[in-house]
Amino acid sequence: YKLSQKLADIIHHDHQLLPVINRFGIRLGFGDQSVEEICKSLNINAGFFIEIMNTYHDPEYFPREKFLDFPLPLIVEYLKKTHHYYYTWYIPEIEKQLNELIASAPGENKLSLLTRFYLKFRQELHEHLQFEDKYTFPYALQLQSIYENNSQNALPQNKPEKSISDYEEEHGDVDTKLLDLQNIIIKYLHADYDDNKCNTLLTTLYNFEDDLRDHARIEDKI
């Protein structure tokens, strides 16, 4: 995608980018404005916005040199907004849909097992995101400050106990847990449940999986 394109056309081409657009504070109703025009009106770094859009749209795309030119606080702020989106929308929405599915098949024990498995997944995801917000992102910003101030002898505070490779493994663990959750529903659900509610939940889980995978890929590469 290019800055000169109409944002409406991009959404028609890949509607899964809608949550990414929202994280930048862009709301629908922007008419036929181009990406560049919208970013200018909202004081958004247009170059960063379009590269994030392209990175989410194409799993093989990651412009290393371009990302090196963006200010680190800009990147960290976007990653934190993504975490906030997970906390405030995806996780509550999954729980709401899960509860609706369970309510459609009262007295079914296997659905309560599904809930327990989901709660374990949610706890692991929360711990991972909170550790990044509290330790990893501030540590990265401290390293940048030390480098920019030419004070390499200074020591950053609160160095995380985990290495970047540890984070990459945790990303894989979260993906596996989410896949397991999907498989429980697809392979082992024998209750008299509502088909539409089940399909809605699975669709949300798949969308969340795609979003998490893209988010983790960006974090790992950066």
Side-chain angles (χ1 to χ4, degrees), residues 101-108 110-111 189-195 198:
L101 174 62
I102 292 172
S104 74
E108 176 51 55
K110 288 184 179 179
L111 288 178
L189 201 62
H190 300 297
D192 184 19
Y193 55 85
D194 184 296
D195 289 336
C198 186

Side-chain angles (χ1 to χ4, degrees), residues 128-143:
H128 177 77
L129 298 180
Q130 289 172 354
F131 199 92
E132 286 184 341
D133 288 337
K134 188 174 181 179
Y135 296 105
T136 309
F137 295 157
Y139 180 68
L141 293 173
Q142 287 182 53
L143 289 177

Side-chain angles (χ1 to χ4, degrees), residues 82-92 129 208 211-212 215:
T82 304
H83 288 187
H84 180 72
Y85 179 72
Y86 294 162
Y87 289 136
T88 59
W89 193 84
Y90 254 128
I91 293 175
L129 298 180
F208 190 30
D211 203 313
L212 275 173
H215 177 68

